[in-house]
Amino acid sequence: MVAQVRRQPLAAQAAELLLTRIRAGEWPLGHRLPGETLLAAQLGVGRSTLREAIRELAGKGVLDSRQGAGVFVTALDVTDDWDVVLRGATVVAVIEARIAIEAEAAALAAQRRTPADLRAIRRALSGRIAEGQTVAEHVDADMAFHRAVVLAAHNAVLTQLFDSFLPRLRLAMIDMLALRPVPSEAADHAAHEHLAQAIADRNPTAAADLSRSHLSTLKEAFA
């Protein structure tokens, strides 16, 4: 137990040294690191400590240890925690990312949607114009529609990316609409109806274009 307590900080220091050298360009992306014995000697640590350091950086996506081949650089830096990135992002940046995700999701939805998907999209579409909605309720109903479209793409990665944006965007949308309602609710809802119809018609080009156009208009409101 005592040896582990002492070794762990040393492994963390070795990992930081390796990361510093990777950031400096000593080992480019895809490059194989020197052998374990040589690298341990360069860092002034034992081989077991080096292995711990490599495991730490592998867990962060920087290194990949391939049995029989060696250790390879798979990223040039540690990616910040996704939640931290989103909290620091501007709303415009989030909407730009949504455009990339949702335009593709809309195209895929037009190709892959099932009858159940279409029912969910139309149900969510109706929910956007329910009587007596508060601003928060309208935003939630709008997000439910967009999520139904993303779900119809049947791509778990796109769904998770969309879901990660929701908390960051929801509050911003509520704040903006409370101060500055959309110029024409009828035109805004019509844009959503046209998107739903393009998906129903299995027209991926139109679906992607309509999604991109709608979100670009939203982006301009925040710019």
Side-chain angles (χ1 to χ4, degrees):
M1 179 64 71
V2 173
Q4 287 182 339
V5 169
R6 287 176 178 168
R7 187 170 67 247
Q8 197 63 34
L10 191 56
Q13 291 176 43
E16 188 59 37
L17 285 172
L18 284 173
L19 186 58
T20 298
R21 292 169 71 174
I22 290 168
R23 286 169 173 158
E26 185 171 343
W27 301 302
L29 194 64
H31 192 86
R32 184 168 63 86
L33 267 58
E36 189 177 90
T37 302
L38 175 59
L39 196 54
Q42 288 180 357
L43 297 175
V45 298
R47 291 169 66 178
S48 61
T49 299
L50 175 64
R51 291 190 197 111
E52 287 184 40
I54 289 171
R55 276 197 296 272
E56 180 179 329
L57 291 179
K60 294 177 178 179
V62 176
L63 297 176
D64 180 27
S65 185
R66 303 170 191 169
Q67 191 166 4
V71 179
F72 293 81
V73 177
T74 50
L76 300 179
D77 206 346
V78 176
T79 302
D80 287 333
D81 181 82
W82 188 232
D83 290 338
V84 174
V85 172
L86 285 178
R87 282 198 298 272
T90 65
V91 175
V92 168
V94 171
I95 294 173
E96 287 174 345
R98 275 189 67 191
I99 292 170
I101 292 167
E102 291 188 53
E104 179 63 19
L108 291 174
Q111 296 168 344
R112 300 174 179 174
R113 59 87 175 160
T114 65
D117 292 327
L118 205 52
R119 286 194 296 272
I121 289 170
R122 285 173 170 158
R123 189 164 52 246
L125 183 64
S126 297
R128 295 186 74 257
I129 52 172
E131 290 289 333
Q133 285 182 335
T134 65
V135 171
E137 287 168 344
H138 175 72
V139 169
D140 288 341
D142 181 65
M143 294 297 181
F145 170 81
H146 287 279
R147 190 173 192 274
V149 171
V150 174
L151 285 173
H154 295 277
N155 183 307
V157 176
L158 290 177
T159 300
Q160 289 190 28
L161 285 170
F162 178 83
D163 285 349
S164 70
F165 291 145
L166 283 184
R168 176 73 178 91
L169 192 64
R170 180 180 181 273
L171 294 177
M173 286 294 298
I174 291 171
D175 289 344
M176 186 196 78
L177 291 176
L179 294 172
R180 188 176 17 161
V182 294
S184 171
E185 291 184 9
D188 180 63
H189 191 67
H192 290 76
E193 289 178 323
H194 294 152
L195 173 56
Q197 191 60 50
I199 293 169
D201 292 342
R202 297 193 183 278
N203 188 334
T205 301
D209 288 345
L210 287 163
S211 177
R212 186 177 296 107
S213 175
H214 163 65
L215 290 170
S216 295
T217 299
L218 179 63
K219 172 187 164 182
E220 289 170 7
F222 279 99

